[in-house]
Structure formats: C-alpha cells, structure tokens
C-alpha cells in the first residue's frame, strides 16, 4: 500500500521527482513499512527476531548476499563491454535465481516468501529512480537496462527483471499456505520452468539448434533440452532426499515439462510469465 502511495505521489506531483524530495519520501516509506503498528511487536522488531532466531536462516541470508555480489559483478563486467548482452549472458541471471529459489523453497520457505515481496518493492523503487533520473544511481541503471534489454523490453520500462521475479515467485504467491510443507514440487514449478528449462533450451538451442520449429527461432534440440533438464533436476532432488516424488507426481512432471517446452517453442508472449503458470497448473493436477 505504501509503495503504491509513493508511485502515485511521484506521478501526480512533479516537485517530488527531484533527488531530495524523492529520497525523503522514500525514507518515509521505509519508516511507514517497518514501524507501522500493525503487528505486535512492531514489524521491524518482528523481522529482526525472525531473522536471528534461526542460525540456518542467517546462513541462507549470507548465501543470498554472496549472490547479490555475483549479480553486481556480472552487471559490472558486462557494462565494461560496450556490446549488447547476448542471450547466454542474460541467462546467467536465470542461474543465479535458481540458486536463490531452490535452497529457499527447500530450507527457508518463509524467508523466501518474505524476500520475494521485498525484492519486488526494491525493483519498483530502482525502476522509479531510473525513469525519473534520480542521482546517483540512475545513470548506472540506465546503462544496465540498455545493455541487458531484449526484444520483450519494448518501451521505456525494464519488464524482463520484473517478469523473471514474478514468474519464479508466482507459485509461492498463488499457493494457499505455501510454507506448510505439503507440496514442494508445486512451489518449485516456477524456477523449474524458467530457471532450469528455459535456460537449458536457450543455451542448447543457440549453440546446437539445427532443426527449427516452423518459422520460429526455437529449435527441436532446445525443446528436448528444456524437458530433459527439468526431469534431471527433479530426479537429482529426489535422489538426494530433498524432494518426495510419487508415480502420479512423476507423470504430472513429465506432462508439464513437455507441454511447457512446446509453449516455450511457439509462444510469442513473455515466457517468464507464461511458462511458470502453465507448469504450475499442470503439476498441480497430481
């Protein structure tokens, strides 16, 4: 709610688009979110208690901070090269988000659920800074946008990172009581479809794709890689005891992987949103 108020205010009141008014407004947003008397104790106190109560939670947070540093290093490395980032370079972010979601879903579901909401809010604030040209981050954000944009970023908005985050988080947001431990496979459906399957299809298709699907740019080799990478990932999770699978779940996973791969091959929509939804629905049939 407070984030929506921030967006409405900077849109309706041009004077708030300057650096000082914007950061003051952003500071008020942070205070309102963390100190509003909507929980007992206050949200900031409850959050700190939640974080420091479990040592394993601290380890996961430390691991996430390392991934943030790797992401920053990837962006910095790419910006040093004036060329446009190719598909394989952009898929690095898919691999990084796999490293975020898989441990999160398996070991710290509640933390991941909370973090996805915070990450979405951070994305919105950073995009506001870029669009409103708020120093000192706007120039760097604009350079990163132009370097990593793809054909789906038609216009001034950086839709790709939003779609990637929303697509991977969608199963968590759509599932009632997602962290009850009832069905981990459903919670992993977004990351399996986008982070694993779509990444494998893109890398294999761009490297070894020879047999194209009709007039599309997608290849049969990429589609096969999509299916096989998902099935191999699920098998590894089951073999290590991290995921409980039944015959019905295996059937649903194979069915979902094949259909999602075909959707990826033929759709002209934003696959980071479409594929998780398709996979989530089909896996949920088990």
């Amino acid at each position: 709610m407070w984030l929506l108020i921030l967006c409405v205010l900077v849109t309706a009141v041009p004077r708030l688009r300057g650096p000082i008014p914007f950061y003051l407004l952003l500071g008020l947003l942070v205070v309102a979110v963390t100190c509003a008397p909507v929980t007992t104790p206050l949200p900031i106190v409850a959050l700190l208690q939640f974080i420091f109560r479990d040592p394993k939670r601290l380890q996961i947070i430390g691991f996430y901070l390392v991934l943030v540093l790797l992401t920053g290093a990837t962006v910095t490395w790419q910006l040093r090269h004036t060329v446009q980032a190719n598909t394989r370079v952009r898929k690095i972010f898919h691999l990084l988000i796999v490293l975020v979601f898989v441990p999160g879903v398996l070991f710290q579901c509640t933390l991941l659920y909370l973090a996805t909401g915070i990450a979405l809010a951070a994305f919105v604030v950073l995009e506001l800074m870029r669009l409103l040209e708020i120093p000192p981050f706007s120039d760097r954000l604009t350079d990163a946008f132009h370097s990593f944009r793809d054909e789906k970023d038609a216009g001034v908005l950086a839709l790709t990172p939003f779609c990637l985050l929303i697509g991977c988080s969608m199963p968590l947001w759509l599932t009632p009581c997602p962290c009850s431990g009832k069905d981990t496979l459903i919670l992993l459906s977004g990351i399996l479809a986008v982070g694993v399957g779509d990444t494998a299809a893109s890398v294999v298709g761009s490297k070894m794709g020879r047999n194209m699907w009709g007039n599309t740019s997608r290849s049969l080799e990429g589609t096969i890689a999509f299916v096989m990478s998902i099935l191999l990932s699920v098998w590894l999770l089951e073999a290590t005891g991290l995921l409980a699978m039944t015959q019905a779940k295996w059937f649903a996973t194979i069915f979902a992987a094949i259909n999602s791969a075909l959707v990826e091959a033929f759709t002209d929509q934003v696959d980071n949103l479409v594929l998780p939804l398709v996979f989530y629905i089909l896996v949920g049939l088990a």
Side-chain angles (χ1 to χ4, degrees):
M1 182 188 70
W2 286 111
L3 186 62
L4 177 62
I5 292 174
L6 171 67
C7 295
V8 171
L9 284 176
V10 296
T11 302
V13 184
R15 291 184 179 181
L16 295 178
R17 300 173 193 173
I20 295 178
F22 179 84
Y23 284 116
L24 286 175
L25 195 60
L26 183 60
L28 290 175
L29 166 69
V30 174
V31 172
V33 169
T34 57
C35 299
V38 294
T39 61
T40 304
L42 293 177
I44 183 62
V45 178
L47 177 63
L48 292 175
Q49 290 177 349
F50 170 76
I51 291 175
F52 289 100
R53 188 180 301 142
D54 187 353
K56 292 183 178 179
R57 197 167 290 145
L58 290 173
Q59 294 174 4
I60 291 289
I61 292 175
F63 177 64
Y64 284 172
L65 292 177
V66 172
L67 295 180
V68 170
L69 294 177
L70 289 175
T71 303
T74 301
V75 174
T76 302
W77 175 84
Q78 178 60 35
L79 291 181
R80 289 177 179 174
H81 300 74
T82 56
V83 297
Q84 180 79 13
N86 58 34
T87 300
R88 290 191 293 274
V89 172
R90 289 197 296 267
K91 294 305 177 183
I92 293 175
F93 296 105
H94 288 230
L95 296 177
L96 289 172
I97 205 167
V98 168
L99 296 177
V100 170
F101 271 78
V102 172
V105 169
L106 295 176
F107 304 115
Q108 289 293 335
C109 179
T110 306
L111 174 65
L112 178 65
Y113 185 83
L114 179 64
T116 55
I118 295 175
L120 182 62
F123 277 22
V124 172
V125 171
L126 291 174
E127 186 66 357
L128 281 175
M129 289 181 179
R130 186 183 69 83
L131 293 174
L132 300 177
E133 299 181 354
I134 305 293
F137 305 109
S138 59
D139 292 341
R140 200 69 170 172
L141 291 170
T142 300
D143 292 341
F145 169 67
H146 289 302
S147 180
F148 287 96
R149 69 184 300 176
D150 61 14
E151 65 277 1
K152 295 184 178 65
D153 289 317
V156 297
L157 292 177
L159 295 178
T160 299
F162 282 94
C163 293
L164 180 61
L165 174 63
I166 293 171
C168 294
S169 306
M170 197 181 299
L172 282 167
W173 297 345
L174 293 179
T175 303
C177 301
C179 298
S180 60
K182 293 180 180 179
D183 199 340
T184 305
L185 180 62
I186 288 181
L187 301 183
L188 290 171
S189 57
I191 200 66
L192 287 173
V194 174
V196 177
D198 186 46
T199 302
S202 178
V203 173
V204 172
S206 61
K207 279 283 189 179
M208 298 182 291
R210 299 293 182 270
N211 303 290
M212 299 299 172
W213 289 104
N215 296 323
T216 70
S217 60
R218 314 298 170 83
S219 66
L220 175 62
E221 291 82 359
T223 301
I224 294 174
F226 187 108
V227 176
M228 296 308 298
S229 62
I230 290 178
L231 298 183
L232 178 61
S233 299
V234 173
W235 177 79
L236 288 173
L237 290 174
E238 183 188 29
T240 52
L242 297 175
L243 189 62
M245 295 292 290
T246 62
Q247 250 184 351
K249 287 183 179 180
W250 267 115
F251 179 80
T253 301
I254 295 171
F255 184 69
I258 294 173
N259 281 275
S260 299
L262 293 175
V263 170
E264 190 273 339
F266 291 102
T267 187
D268 58 355
Q269 302 300 314
V270 181
D271 48 9
N272 285 351
L273 294 178
V274 175
L275 297 180
L277 187 59
V278 172
F279 202 93
Y280 176 81
I281 292 172
L282 296 179
V283 167
L285 297 176

